[in-house]
Amino acid sequence: MSEQPASYRDVFAVREYRHLFAANLLSLIGDQLTAVALSFLVYARSGSPLLAALTFAGSYATWVIGGPLLSVFADRLPRRRVLLVGDLARAAIVLLMLIPGIGVWTLVAMAFVANLFRPPFQSARASLMPDILHGDRYTVANGLDNIVAEITQVAGFALGGLLVAAGSAQTVLAADAATFLLSAALIATGLRGSAAATRATAQPSGSWWAETTAGARVVFADRTLRSYLLLFWLSCLVYAAEGVAAPLAAEYGAGAWTGGLLLAAMPAGVAVGGVLLTRVCAPRLRQRIMLPLALLSCAVLLPIAARPPLAVVLTLFFVSGLAGSFSIPLNALFGRAVPAAYRARAFGVAMSGLCAVQGLAMFAAGAAAEWLRPTLVVGGAGLAATVAVGVVAASWPRVTEPVPVPVAA
């Protein structure tokens, strides 16, 4: 393994990645615009905060449902085709939302269906990455994608709000459909018609249920993959802090602006950490510091239980995100270790579990904050995450073991 990290120039020298990167960026922007525009549109027509929140939260719920179920298509069909269908279907559904007089509940249902195309799209894209990027390029590209995703999440919400304020939700939806169409054009012109992964996935392994659960069986039957996934999931217990951002700001006598800073601190740390890990650290160093960083990302929140000054809380949140960038090299290890024929389903399992862990952690934090002060809740989440990550680290595999291919019943 080379001790020199790949450069961004090395990564963008790969034509297929350039197209995948631009297409993914447009799709991410489209996802954010859809979430903002529809939440405004549904609230304007119904006056119901619950319906608006339900519309907004649909993108997360579809990962829990669609991750394991729909990622099968990304393993059974040519992945280029899955990407194209995902973009074109979302563009068509968003355009249908522009029909005048469409009912609120129909809008909510259409938003849910549109979001169902996101898991197979992202799983297919993640599965293609190890095939088109070799060596350290794959890890650096993962870091770049992570940085872009964090920035897009913040900028997309802000841009969507500005566009709605400047025009209308319908205008934003039209722009959203255009992003998906442009993404599809980039995929159609930039990716080969057939990829190696397509040949590896030509033979179905059994019933639909067997196909759906194959990803989970591959991951959890192998000690190495299981350890990778558990480390990723359990370290994300710290995102319980996002569930109490508003009451945490109120505990310090602050308002929405401070709550926004608290929510932005961790993603900002992840973005900075991603640059440092992929552009400064050598490949071997990344692997050596991965476990210490995972523990630090959780343990750094423990002092918040003592209610330090707000500036310290913001700093600790940022440091937690900075250390949390360990997930970038971890993701690369996971992607390379999964057999190509099951890669999309394995990524689907990883993402659906992540959404479930984050959602449950936020819900638990909110419930605990009904009786405990938010700083104590955040510190408690840091403690729980530190203990959980410590257990995984204690049994961390030293040697990569072969991944068994499950046999359908």
Side-chain angles (χ1 to χ4, degrees), residues 139-217:
T139 304
V140 172
N142 269 295
L144 184 59
D145 289 343
N146 194 284
I147 294 165
V148 168
E150 298 291 348
I151 295 173
T152 303
Q153 182 176 5
V154 177
F157 288 152
L159 178 62
L162 287 173
L163 290 176
V164 170
S168 66
Q170 286 84 354
T171 302
V172 177
L173 288 175
D176 176 23
T179 64
F180 290 126
L181 291 174
L182 287 172
S183 173
L186 285 165
I187 291 166
T189 58
L191 296 186
R192 292 170 296 166
S194 61
T198 306
R199 295 193 297 271
T201 61
Q203 297 180 353
S205 61
S207 67
W208 178 260
W209 177 249
E211 293 284 294
T212 300
T213 58
R217 293 201 305 275

Side-chain angles (χ1 to χ4, degrees), residues 240-283:
E242 292 187 354
V244 292
L248 182 59
E251 183 179 346
Y252 285 91
W257 170 248
T258 299
L261 288 177
L262 289 167
L263 286 172
M266 281 189 186
V270 173
V272 173
V275 174
L276 294 176
L277 271 183
T278 57
R279 298 299 301 120
V280 177
C281 294

Side-chain angles (χ1 to χ4, degrees), residues 25 32 86 248 302 330 350 406:
L25 177 60
Q32 305 304 322
L248 182 59
L302 290 173
L330 179 65

Side-chain angles (χ1 to χ4, degrees), residues 234 295 385-396:
L234 295 175
L295 286 166
T386 302
V387 172
V389 168
V391 171
V392 176
S395 58
W396 193 251

Side-chain angles (χ1 to χ4, degrees), residues 214-228:
R217 293 201 305 275
V218 164
V219 171
F220 289 103
D222 180 75
R223 179 180 171 228
T224 299
L225 290 175
R226 187 169 62 246
S227 296
Y228 292 165

